[in-house]
Amino acid sequence: MYWWNIKELKATLASGTLSEHARFLYSVVGALVSEFPLIAENPNIWDRVSSATVILATISGTTLAYRMNGGKNGHHFLERYLAIGWVFLLRFTAFVMPVMVVAYIFASTTGLVGEVSTAFDAVLIFVFMVFYYFGLCKHIQGVAAIERSAVPN
């Protein structure tokens, strides 16, 4: 994995020799970096729990997706992770938004949420992260299975 030497990275990409493991590592790093702006300005304990949940779910989910793709012996991990992840995220969001609205209406009428983050927020984030990565991994595994079945023995 390259951290600074873009010239070597470009040469590796141009030659098509970026390893599946490096693709996996770039996916994890990219996903983790995306969490940093989400940390609240004056976080309470539940903001910290939510951020930790997102980080742990991202590492765990991306690692599982990598394994479902065949690990070091898999092919096209980064492409699958990004492409399937994007389409699945759109579909997942379309399903999740109505559920979240109903959940928050219920939570607001029962006092489970307030003006700052609560345990309810953290649990909801955890549940949705688990379902998102479960679905993503299932789809990546399906593509890898199709690829394996197409290869002659």
Side-chain angles (χ1 to χ4, degrees):
M1 183 168 178
Y2 300 97
W3 291 92
W4 193 258
N5 191 338
I6 197 156
K7 185 177 181 180
E8 273 190 51
L9 174 60
K10 287 167 51 179
T12 301
L13 289 169
S15 69
T17 59
L18 187 67
S19 72
E20 286 299 303
H21 189 68
R23 294 169 195 225
F24 161 68
L25 293 174
Y26 282 117
S27 300
V28 170
V29 170
L32 290 177
V33 168
S34 69
E35 171 58 12
F36 293 124
L38 300 178
I39 297 172
E41 187 175 318
N42 294 313
N44 68 19
I45 186 65
W46 297 112
D47 292 318
R48 294 177 197 274
V49 168
S50 294
S51 289
T53 297
V54 169
I55 289 168
L56 290 172
T58 298
I59 292 170
S60 302
T62 304
T63 300
L64 183 59
Y66 176 66
R67 290 183 178 157
M68 295 294 102
N69 191 57
K72 288 182 180 182
N73 296 321
H75 301 282
H76 311 292
F77 173 72
L78 188 57
E79 295 89 335
R80 292 172 184 176
Y81 183 80
L82 293 175
I84 293 171
W86 170 248
V87 173
F88 184 68
L89 179 63
L90 291 177
R91 294 176 60 168
F92 185 75
T93 302
F95 168 76
V96 165
M97 281 307 189
V99 173
M100 284 186 77
V101 168
V102 170
Y104 273 102
I105 289 171
F106 168 78
S108 66
T109 61
T110 59
L112 293 174
V113 293
E115 292 189 25
V116 296
S117 297
T118 65
F120 179 82
D121 300 303
V123 168
L124 201 60
I125 288 169
F126 172 77
V127 168
F128 288 125
M129 292 294 292
V130 167
F131 280 106
Y132 170 76
Y133 278 106
F134 175 79
L136 175 64
C137 290
K138 182 182 128 203
H139 290 297
I140 288 175
Q141 183 181 34
V143 173
I146 292 167
E147 179 186 52
R148 282 190 303 273
S149 68
V151 174
N153 292 332

